[in-house]
Amino acid sequence: MDFTPSEEQAAARELAARIFGDLSTHERLVAAGTGTDAGLWKELCTAGLPGAVEDIGLLGLVLLLEEQGRTTAQVPLAATCVYGLLAVAGHGTPEQRERLLPALRDGTAVATGAFPARGGVRAVDGALYGVLPWVPWLRDATHVLVADDERGSWIVEARAPGVSVVPVETTAPWSAGRLGLDGVRAESLGAGPGAYASVLAASRTAFAGLQAGVCAGSLARAVQHTTTREQFGRPLSTNQGVLLRAADAHMDTEAIRVTAYEAAWRYDRQLGHEAQALTAAWWASEGGRRVVHTGQHLHGGTGADLDHPVHRHFLWGRQLDAYLGCGAELLQELGLLLAGGDRTREGAS
């Protein structure tokens, strides 16, 4: 395996780093509140970054999401790419690709996903019924990829008759909403559970990449704080306890990153990747939680300030810890997969 970015992937990552670094500032994040930074999203789409994902692949998307996570930029990049662009490009019919992809590429359409399937949605003759307590970026979405209780995947227009969206607040400010479906006519994406499994693996990999960036940003802030803050006449970073906590956080961050890279690399080459995606998601959950707690703890009393930038990394890290399955769920699913068990039985996501 060679995770060295291609020329196109490296160029896209550098462009993303510049845009996020320039525009996703603490002041703009405060002004955005719990909503999307519409100006930043427009800038990303004008630069062609969402549309570029079709060319740079899932590994390229992971690189972009790392840069987003470093600044906790409030834009639906991961959701639009994995539940929209990659899902439709990989599993849609020629007519669906021709109709849906152009608007997803230029940002005039925003996609999100009601994943994983947890038994909340029934499909009856192409009509969907059910309620999902929260879906990320739902308030911005024009299309929602919904998984039913049989692992079927359905494209739902967010403003179609029978769809209800009620804003909800989650730990991270992801413009989430409660999704109600009452006889909503939807169009199928792919045949059988194959599309569901592929989209879920891609989303777990992508959000693990986002978590790697969140953790890297949290750790960078902790390093900056402990090297400039003095106690008893010397920097906090010279204390052995601080060094050990930071070193452990660095190793966890690198584990999240490399497992996400491996899963994405295998996905792009159409190799078996489900176990690797679960591994990356497990590290994002377990390791990510440790890292963002460390980032906050190493700030001391400052880390308890809800308005401090490091607290935003903490909130994002905890949200990503549980999104698409917490560590124990993922470990159970990975065990069933490796043992050749039935992953569709009740309790497996």
Side-chain angles (χ1 to χ4, degrees):
M1 289 177 286
D2 182 3
F3 304 146
T4 304
S6 66
E7 184 177 339
E8 293 79 9
Q9 290 170 337
R13 179 174 61 182
E14 290 171 9
L15 178 57
R18 185 165 67 250
I19 293 174
F20 286 128
D22 290 344
L23 297 183
S24 186
T25 62
H26 178 61
E27 292 73 23
R28 285 180 67 111
L29 289 168
V30 170
T34 61
T36 297
D37 186 333
L40 175 55
W41 178 241
K42 181 179 180 180
E43 188 72 21
L44 290 170
C45 294
T46 300
L49 287 175
V53 170
E54 291 177 85
D55 296 321
I56 63 177
L58 184 56
L59 180 55
L61 175 59
V62 166
L63 296 175
L64 300 184
L65 293 175
E66 276 193 82
E67 300 305 326
Q68 179 186 356
R70 292 178 197 276
T71 61
T72 60
Q74 290 173 201
V75 289
L77 180 60
T80 292
C81 289
V82 294
Y83 299 124
L85 282 160
L86 293 180
V88 174
H91 306 284
T93 64
E95 187 278 331
Q96 287 173 328
R97 292 196 293 268
E98 182 179 358
R99 172 167 48 89
L100 298 172
L101 288 178
L104 290 167
R105 291 177 186 130
D106 65 21
T108 54
V110 172
T112 190
F115 273 61
R118 298 188 185 278
V121 176
R122 294 180 297 112
V124 182
D125 298 326
L128 302 183
Y129 299 84
V131 175
L132 295 162
W134 80 280
V135 177
W137 307 108
L138 183 60
R139 283 178 265 167
D140 298 325
T142 58
H143 297 81
V144 186
L145 188 60
V146 177
D148 66 30
D149 54 8
E150 298 295 329
R151 301 324 193 242
S153 300
W154 303 86
I155 301 173
V156 174
E157 292 188 12
R159 292 166 182 79
V163 175
S164 64
V165 175
V166 179
V168 298
E169 299 301 334
T170 57
T171 302
W174 287 359
S175 296
R178 176 180 179 271
L179 178 65
L181 303 167
D182 186 11
V184 178
R185 306 306 302 183
E187 54 181 310
S188 176
L189 181 74
Y196 168 82
S198 176
V199 172
L200 181 57
S203 61
R204 282 172 166 162
T205 303
F207 281 96
L210 183 61
Q211 181 75 303
V214 169
C215 291
S218 175
L219 184 57
R221 291 187 182 279
V223 169
Q224 194 277 335
H225 175 79
T226 56
T227 54
T228 57
R229 184 70 174 266
E230 292 190 357
Q231 187 179 60
F232 306 119
R234 62 177 185 171
L236 289 171
S237 59
T238 60
N239 294 322
Q240 187 178 43
V242 172
L243 291 170
L244 292 173
R245 289 292 302 276
D248 286 343
H250 172 73
M251 294 304 295
D252 275 333
T253 301
E254 289 303 300
I256 299 168
R257 176 182 289 116
V258 73
T259 53
Y261 284 5
E262 181 185 8
W265 184 87
R266 295 182 66 87
Y267 177 95
D268 288 339
R269 283 156 182 76
Q270 299 181 342
L271 301 171
H273 56 268
E274 193 171 2
Q276 287 77 15
L278 284 164
T279 302
W282 183 85
W283 272 106
S285 176
E286 296 292 310
R289 182 174 66 250
R290 289 193 294 266
V291 173
V292 296
H293 275 271
T294 294
Q296 193 168 34
H297 289 168
L298 291 183
H299 279 76
T302 305
D305 182 355
L306 301 186
D307 295 324
H308 194 281
V310 77
H311 187 69
R312 188 174 291 107
H313 289 268
F314 175 78
L315 295 178
W316 277 63
R318 291 312 309 263
Q319 187 74 55
L320 287 162
D321 159 24
Y323 181 51
L324 300 176
C326 68
E329 292 176 300
L330 296 164
L331 200 59
Q332 180 192 31
E333 190 174 344
L334 179 60
L336 289 169
L337 177 65
L338 295 178
D342 181 6
R343 293 178 54 252
T344 63
R345 74 184 189 183
E346 185 177 357
S349 52

